[in-house]
Coordinates of all heavy atoms in Angstrom, one line a residue:
F1 N 75.2 1.4 -30.7 CA 75.5 2.0 -29.3 C 74.3 1.7 -28.5 O 73.2 2.2 -28.6 CB 75.8 3.5 -29.5 CG 76.1 4.1 -28.2 CD1 77.4 4.0 -27.7 CD2 75.2 4.9 -27.6 CE1 77.7 4.6 -26.5 CE2 75.6 5.6 -26.4 CZ 76.8 5.3 -25.8
D2 N 74.5 0.9 -27.5 CA 73.5 0.6 -26.4 C 72.2 0.0 -27.1 O 71.0 0.4 -26.5 CB 73.2 1.8 -25.5 CG 74.4 2.2 -24.6 OD1 75.2 1.3 -24.4 OD2 74.4 3.2 -24.2
R3 N 72.2 -0.6 -28.2 CA 71.1 -1.0 -28.9 C 70.1 -1.9 -28.0 O 68.9 -1.8 -28.0 CB 71.5 -1.8 -30.1 CG 70.3 -2.1 -31.0 CD 70.7 -2.8 -32.2 NE 71.6 -1.9 -33.0 CZ 72.7 -2.3 -33.5 NH1 73.3 -3.5 -33.3 NH2 73.4 -1.3 -34.2
D4 N 70.7 -2.7 -27.2 CA 69.8 -3.6 -26.4 C 69.6 -3.0 -24.9 O 69.1 -3.9 -24.2 CB 70.3 -5.0 -26.4 CG 70.4 -5.7 -27.8 OD1 69.4 -5.4 -28.5 OD2 71.3 -6.3 -28.2
A5 N 70.1 -1.9 -24.6 CA 70.1 -1.4 -23.3 C 68.7 -1.1 -22.9 O 67.8 -0.7 -23.7 CB 70.9 -0.2 -23.1
K6 N 68.3 -1.4 -21.6 CA 67.0 -0.9 -21.1 C 67.3 0.1 -20.1 O 68.2 0.1 -19.3 CB 66.4 -2.2 -20.3 CG 66.0 -3.3 -21.2 CD 65.3 -4.4 -20.5 CE 65.0 -5.6 -21.6 NZ 64.4 -6.6 -20.9
T7 N 66.4 1.2 -20.2 CA 66.6 2.3 -19.3 C 65.6 2.2 -18.1 O 64.5 1.6 -18.2 CB 66.3 3.6 -20.0 OG1 65.0 3.5 -20.5 CG2 67.3 3.8 -21.1
F8 N 66.1 2.6 -16.9 CA 65.3 2.5 -15.7 C 65.5 4.0 -15.0 O 66.4 4.5 -15.1 CB 65.7 1.5 -14.7 CG 65.8 0.1 -15.3 CD1 66.9 -0.4 -15.7 CD2 64.7 -0.7 -15.5 CE1 67.0 -1.7 -16.3 CE2 64.6 -1.9 -16.0 CZ 65.9 -2.4 -16.4
S9 N 64.3 4.3 -14.3 CA 64.5 5.6 -13.5 C 65.3 5.1 -12.3 O 65.4 4.0 -11.9 CB 63.1 6.0 -13.1 OG 62.5 5.1 -12.3
I10 N 65.8 6.1 -11.5 CA 66.5 5.8 -10.2 C 65.6 5.1 -9.2 O 66.0 4.2 -8.7 CB 67.0 7.2 -9.7 CG1 68.1 7.6 -10.6 CG2 67.6 6.9 -8.2 CD1 68.8 9.0 -10.2
P11 N 64.4 5.6 -9.1 CA 63.4 4.8 -8.1 C 63.2 3.4 -8.6 O 63.0 2.5 -7.8 CB 62.2 5.7 -8.1 CG 62.6 7.1 -8.5 CD 63.7 6.8 -9.4
Q12 N 63.0 3.3 -9.9 CA 62.8 1.9 -10.3 C 64.1 1.0 -10.1 O 63.9 -0.2 -9.8 CB 62.5 1.9 -11.8 CG 62.1 0.6 -12.4 CD 61.6 0.7 -13.8 OE1 61.8 1.6 -14.5 NE2 61.1 -0.4 -14.3
A13 N 65.2 1.6 -10.3 CA 66.4 0.8 -10.1 C 66.6 0.4 -8.6 O 66.9 -0.6 -8.2 CB 67.7 1.5 -10.5
R14 N 66.3 1.5 -7.7 CA 66.4 1.1 -6.2 C 65.4 0.0 -5.9 O 65.7 -0.9 -5.1 CB 65.9 2.4 -5.4 CG 66.9 3.4 -5.3 CD 66.5 4.4 -4.3 NE 66.9 5.7 -4.6 CZ 66.3 6.8 -4.9 NH1 64.9 6.8 -4.7 NH2 66.8 7.9 -5.2
R15 N 64.1 0.1 -6.4 CA 63.1 -1.0 -6.1 C 63.6 -2.4 -6.7 O 63.4 -3.4 -5.9 CB 61.7 -0.6 -6.8 CG 61.0 0.4 -6.0 CD 59.6 0.5 -6.6 NE 59.5 0.8 -7.9 CZ 59.4 2.0 -8.5 NH1 59.5 3.1 -7.7 NH2 59.4 2.2 -9.8
M16 N 64.2 -2.4 -7.8 CA 64.6 -3.7 -8.4 C 65.8 -4.3 -7.5 O 65.7 -5.5 -7.2 CB 65.1 -3.5 -9.8 CG 64.0 -3.2 -10.7 SD 64.5 -2.6 -12.4 CE 65.4 -4.1 -12.9
L17 N 66.7 -3.5 -7.1 CA 67.7 -3.9 -6.2 C 67.2 -4.5 -4.9 O 67.5 -5.4 -4.4 CB 68.8 -2.8 -6.0 CG 69.7 -2.6 -7.1 CD1 70.6 -1.4 -6.9 CD2 70.7 -3.8 -7.3
A18 N 66.4 -3.7 -4.3 CA 65.7 -4.0 -3.0 C 64.9 -5.4 -3.2 O 65.0 -6.3 -2.2 CB 64.8 -3.0 -2.5
A19 N 64.1 -5.6 -4.3 CA 63.5 -6.8 -4.4 C 64.3 -7.9 -4.6 O 64.0 -9.1 -4.3 CB 62.5 -6.7 -5.7
A20 N 65.6 -7.8 -5.1 CA 66.5 -8.9 -5.3 C 67.4 -9.1 -4.0 O 68.3 -9.9 -4.1 CB 67.4 -8.4 -6.5
G21 N 67.1 -8.4 -3.0 CA 67.8 -8.6 -1.7 C 69.1 -7.8 -1.5 O 69.9 -8.2 -0.7
F22 N 69.1 -6.7 -2.1 CA 70.2 -5.8 -1.9 C 69.9 -4.5 -1.1 O 68.8 -4.1 -1.1 CB 70.7 -5.2 -3.3 CG 71.5 -6.3 -4.2 CD1 70.7 -7.2 -4.9 CD2 72.8 -6.4 -4.2 CE1 71.3 -8.2 -5.7 CE2 73.4 -7.4 -4.8 CZ 72.7 -8.3 -5.6
D23 N 70.9 -4.0 -0.3 CA 70.7 -2.7 0.2 C 71.4 -1.7 -0.6 O 72.5 -2.0 -1.3 CB 71.6 -2.8 1.6 CG 70.9 -3.6 2.6 OD1 69.7 -3.5 2.7 OD2 71.6 -4.2 3.5
I24 N 70.9 -0.5 -0.6 CA 71.3 0.5 -1.5 C 72.6 1.1 -0.8 O 72.6 1.6 0.4 CB 70.5 1.7 -1.7 CG1 69.1 1.1 -2.4 CG2 71.0 2.8 -2.6 CD1 69.3 0.4 -3.5
A25 N 73.8 1.0 -1.4 CA 75.0 1.4 -0.8 C 75.4 2.9 -1.3 O 75.9 3.5 -0.5 CB 76.1 0.5 -1.2
S26 N 75.1 3.2 -2.5 CA 75.5 4.5 -3.0 C 74.7 4.8 -4.3 O 74.2 4.0 -5.0 CB 77.0 4.4 -3.4 OG 77.5 5.7 -3.8
E27 N 74.5 6.1 -4.6 CA 73.9 6.6 -5.8 C 74.8 7.7 -6.3 O 75.4 8.5 -5.6 CB 72.5 7.1 -5.5 CG 71.6 6.0 -5.1 CD 70.2 6.6 -4.8 OE1 69.9 7.7 -5.3 OE2 69.4 5.9 -4.2
G28 N 74.8 8.0 -7.6 CA 75.5 9.1 -8.1 C 75.0 9.4 -9.6 O 74.5 8.5 -10.3
N29 N 75.2 10.6 -10.0 CA 75.0 11.0 -11.4 C 76.3 11.4 -12.0 O 77.1 11.9 -11.4 CB 74.0 12.3 -11.4 CG 72.6 11.9 -10.9 OD1 71.8 11.4 -11.7 ND2 72.3 12.0 -9.6
F30 N 76.3 11.2 -13.4 CA 77.6 11.5 -14.0 C 77.3 12.2 -15.3 O 76.3 12.1 -15.8 CB 78.2 10.1 -14.3 CG 78.6 9.3 -13.1 CD1 77.6 8.3 -12.7 CD2 79.6 9.5 -12.3 CE1 77.9 7.6 -11.5 CE2 79.9 8.9 -11.1 CZ 79.0 7.9 -10.7
F31 N 78.4 12.7 -15.9 CA 78.4 13.4 -17.1 C 77.5 14.5 -17.4 O 76.5 14.5 -18.1 CB 78.2 12.3 -18.2 CG 79.0 11.1 -18.2 CD1 78.5 9.8 -17.9 CD2 80.4 11.3 -18.2 CE1 79.3 8.7 -17.8 CE2 81.2 10.2 -18.1 CZ 80.7 8.9 -17.9
Y32 N 77.6 15.6 -16.5 CA 76.9 16.8 -16.7 C 77.3 17.7 -17.9 O 76.5 18.3 -18.5 CB 77.0 17.6 -15.4 CG 76.3 17.2 -14.2 CD1 76.7 16.0 -13.5 CD2 75.2 17.8 -13.9 CE1 76.0 15.6 -12.4 CE2 74.4 17.3 -12.7 CZ 74.9 16.2 -12.0 OH 74.2 15.8 -11.0
F33 N 78.5 17.6 -18.2 CA 79.1 18.5 -19.2 C 79.6 17.7 -20.4 O 80.4 16.7 -20.2 CB 80.3 19.4 -18.6 CG 79.8 20.2 -17.5 CD1 80.1 19.9 -16.2 CD2 79.0 21.3 -17.6 CE1 79.7 20.6 -15.1 CE2 78.6 22.1 -16.6 CZ 79.0 21.8 -15.3
P34 N 79.3 18.2 -21.7 CA 79.9 17.5 -22.8 C 81.3 17.8 -22.9 O 81.9 18.7 -22.2 CB 79.0 18.2 -24.0 CG 78.7 19.5 -23.5 CD 78.5 19.3 -22.0
R35 N 82.0 17.2 -23.8 CA 83.4 17.4 -24.1 C 83.9 18.7 -24.2 O 84.9 19.2 -23.7 CB 83.8 16.5 -25.2 CG 85.4 16.5 -25.5 CD 85.9 15.6 -26.5 NE 85.6 14.2 -26.2 CZ 85.4 13.2 -27.0 NH1 85.4 13.5 -28.3 NH2 85.2 12.0 -26.6
M36 N 83.0 19.6 -24.9 CA 83.4 21.0 -25.2 C 83.5 21.7 -23.8 O 84.2 22.7 -23.7 CB 82.2 21.5 -26.0 CG 82.6 23.0 -26.4 SD 81.3 23.9 -27.3 CE 80.2 22.7 -27.9
L37 N 82.8 21.3 -22.8 CA 82.8 22.0 -21.5 C 83.6 21.1 -20.5 O 83.3 21.2 -19.3 CB 81.4 22.3 -21.0 CG 80.6 23.2 -21.9 CD1 79.2 23.3 -21.4 CD2 81.3 24.6 -22.0
S38 N 84.5 20.3 -20.9 CA 85.1 19.3 -20.0 C 86.0 20.0 -18.9 O 86.2 19.4 -17.8 CB 86.0 18.4 -20.8 OG 87.1 19.1 -21.5
F39 N 86.3 21.3 -19.2 CA 87.0 22.0 -18.0 C 86.2 22.2 -16.8 O 86.7 22.5 -15.7 CB 87.7 23.3 -18.6 CG 86.5 24.4 -19.0 CD1 86.0 25.2 -18.1 CD2 86.0 24.3 -20.3 CE1 85.1 26.1 -18.4 CE2 85.1 25.3 -20.7 CZ 84.5 26.1 -19.9
L40 N 84.9 22.1 -16.9 CA 84.0 22.2 -15.8 C 83.7 20.9 -15.1 O 83.0 20.9 -14.0 CB 82.6 22.8 -16.2 CG 82.7 24.2 -16.8 CD1 81.3 24.5 -17.4 CD2 83.1 25.2 -15.8
R41 N 84.3 19.8 -15.6 CA 84.0 18.4 -14.9 C 84.4 18.3 -13.6 O 83.9 17.5 -12.8 CB 84.5 17.4 -15.8 CG 83.7 17.2 -17.1 CD 84.1 16.1 -17.9 NE 83.2 15.9 -19.1 CZ 83.4 15.3 -20.2 NH1 84.6 14.6 -20.2 NH2 82.7 15.3 -21.2
F42 N 85.5 19.1 -13.2 CA 85.9 19.0 -11.7 C 84.7 19.3 -10.7 O 84.7 18.8 -9.5 CB 87.0 20.0 -11.5 CG 86.5 21.4 -11.4 CD1 86.1 22.0 -10.2 CD2 86.4 22.3 -12.5 CE1 85.6 23.3 -10.1 CE2 85.9 23.6 -12.5 CZ 85.6 24.1 -11.2
S43 N 83.6 20.0 -11.2 CA 82.5 20.4 -10.3 C 81.4 19.2 -10.3 O 80.4 19.4 -9.5 CB 81.9 21.7 -10.8 OG 81.4 21.6 -12.1
E44 N 81.5 18.2 -11.1 CA 80.5 17.3 -11.2 C 80.2 16.6 -9.9 O 79.0 16.3 -9.6 CB 80.8 16.2 -12.4 CG 80.6 16.8 -13.7 CD 80.7 15.9 -14.8 OE1 81.2 14.7 -14.7 OE2 80.4 16.2 -16.0
P45 N 81.2 16.1 -9.1 CA 80.9 15.5 -7.8 C 80.0 16.3 -6.9 O 79.1 15.9 -6.3 CB 82.2 15.2 -7.2 CG 83.2 15.2 -8.3 CD 82.6 16.1 -9.3
A46 N 80.2 17.7 -6.9 CA 79.3 18.5 -6.1 C 78.0 18.6 -6.7 O 77.0 18.7 -6.0 CB 80.0 19.9 -6.0
L47 N 77.9 18.7 -8.0 CA 76.6 18.8 -8.6 C 75.8 17.6 -8.5 O 74.6 17.6 -8.3 CB 76.8 19.1 -10.2 CG 77.2 20.4 -10.6 CD1 77.5 20.4 -12.1 CD2 76.2 21.5 -10.3
S48 N 76.4 16.5 -8.4 CA 75.8 15.1 -8.3 C 75.1 15.0 -7.0 O 74.0 14.5 -6.8 CB 76.8 14.0 -8.3 OG 76.2 12.8 -8.1
F49 N 75.7 15.7 -5.9 CA 75.0 15.7 -4.6 C 73.8 16.6 -4.5 O 72.9 16.2 -3.8 CB 76.2 16.3 -3.6 CG 75.7 16.1 -2.2 CD1 75.6 14.9 -1.4 CD2 75.4 17.3 -1.4 CE1 75.2 14.8 -0.2 CE2 74.9 17.1 -0.1 CZ 74.8 16.0 0.4
F50 N 73.9 17.8 -5.2 CA 72.8 18.8 -5.1 C 71.7 18.8 -6.3 O 70.7 19.2 -6.1 CB 73.4 20.2 -5.0 CG 74.1 20.4 -3.7 CD1 75.5 20.5 -3.7 CD2 73.5 20.5 -2.5 CE1 76.2 20.6 -2.5 CE2 74.2 20.6 -1.3 CZ 75.6 20.7 -1.3
L51 N 72.3 18.4 -7.4 CA 71.5 18.4 -8.7 C 71.5 17.2 -9.5 O 72.4 17.0 -10.3 CB 72.1 19.6 -9.4 CG 71.2 20.1 -10.6 CD1 69.9 20.8 -10.2 CD2 72.0 21.2 -11.3
P52 N 70.5 16.3 -9.2 CA 70.7 15.0 -9.9 C 70.1 15.0 -11.4 O 69.1 14.5 -11.7 CB 69.7 14.1 -9.1 CG 68.7 15.1 -8.5 CD 69.4 16.3 -8.3
L53 N 70.9 15.6 -12.2 CA 70.5 15.7 -13.6 C 71.6 15.3 -14.6 O 71.5 15.6 -15.8 CB 70.3 17.3 -13.8 CG 69.1 17.9 -13.1 CD1 69.1 19.4 -13.4 CD2 67.8 17.3 -13.5
G54 N 72.5 14.5 -14.2 CA 73.5 14.0 -15.1 C 73.0 13.0 -16.2 O 71.8 12.5 -16.0
A55 N 73.7 12.9 -17.3 CA 73.3 12.1 -18.3 C 73.2 10.6 -18.0 O 72.3 9.8 -18.6 CB 74.3 12.2 -19.5
Q56 N 74.0 10.2 -17.0 CA 73.9 8.8 -16.5 C 73.9 8.7 -15.0 O 74.4 9.6 -14.4 CB 75.1 7.9 -17.1 CG 75.1 7.8 -18.5 CD 76.3 6.9 -19.0 OE1 77.0 6.3 -18.3 NE2 76.5 6.9 -20.3
Y57 N 73.4 7.7 -14.4 CA 73.4 7.5 -13.0 C 73.9 6.1 -12.5 O 73.8 5.2 -13.4 CB 72.1 7.9 -12.3 CG 71.0 7.0 -12.8 CD1 70.6 5.8 -12.1 CD2 70.2 7.4 -13.8 CE1 69.6 4.9 -12.5 CE2 69.1 6.5 -14.2 CZ 68.8 5.3 -13.5 OH 67.8 4.6 -13.9
L58 N 74.2 6.0 -11.2 CA 74.5 4.7 -10.8 C 73.9 4.5 -9.5 O 73.7 5.4 -8.6 CB 76.2 4.7 -10.5 CG 76.6 3.7 -9.5 CD1 76.8 2.4 -10.3 CD2 78.0 4.2 -8.9
V59 N 73.4 3.3 -9.4 CA 72.8 2.9 -8.0 C 73.5 1.6 -7.7 O 73.4 0.6 -8.4 CB 71.2 2.6 -8.1 CG1 70.7 2.1 -6.7 CG2 70.5 3.9 -8.6
L60 N 74.3 1.6 -6.6 CA 75.1 0.6 -6.2 C 74.5 -0.2 -5.0 O 74.1 0.4 -4.1 CB 76.5 1.1 -5.7 CG 77.5 0.1 -5.4 CD1 77.9 -0.8 -6.5 CD2 78.8 0.8 -4.8
G61 N 74.4 -1.5 -5.2 CA 73.7 -2.3 -4.2 C 74.7 -3.3 -3.6 O 75.6 -3.7 -4.3
L62 N 74.6 -3.6 -2.3 CA 75.3 -4.6 -1.6 C 74.4 -5.7 -1.2 O 73.4 -5.4 -0.6 CB 76.0 -4.1 -0.4 CG 77.1 -3.0 -0.7 CD1 77.6 -2.4 0.7 CD2 78.2 -3.6 -1.4
K63 N 74.8 -6.9 -1.4 CA 74.0 -8.1 -1.0 C 73.8 -8.1 0.5 O 74.8 -7.9 1.2 CB 74.6 -9.4 -1.5 CG 73.7 -10.6 -1.3 CD 72.6 -10.6 -2.3 CE 71.8 -11.9 -2.2 NZ 70.6 -11.8 -3.0
K64 N 72.6 -8.2 1.0 CA 72.4 -8.3 2.4 C 73.0 -9.7 2.9 O 72.9 -10.6 2.4 CB 70.9 -8.4 2.8 CG 70.2 -7.1 2.3 CD 68.7 -7.2 2.7 CE 67.9 -5.9 2.2 NZ 66.6 -5.9 2.5
S65 N 73.5 -9.5 4.1 CA 74.2 -10.7 4.8 C 73.0 -11.6 5.2 O 72.0 -11.3 5.7 CB 75.0 -10.4 5.9 OG 74.2 -9.7 6.9
S66 N 73.3 -12.9 5.2 CA 72.2 -14.0 5.6 C 72.3 -14.3 7.0 O 71.6 -15.2 7.5 CB 72.3 -15.2 4.7 OG 73.7 -15.7 4.8
A67 N 73.2 -13.6 7.8 CA 73.4 -14.0 9.2 C 72.3 -13.5 10.0 O 71.7 -12.6 9.8 CB 74.7 -13.5 9.7

């Protein structure tokens, strides 16, 4: 499971995308609650906005236009 995965902090992921010529389009955190507490998952989008502590995160980049 994720044997060859490399982990990066959110700031490091932002820097890497910017260095590669991307603009940061979006960020988010996911998977606050384990399966046992899945009934609370409806609240994860709000938690992601105020409390960046999810088990996984996403930093989405868009390639800068060359025009």
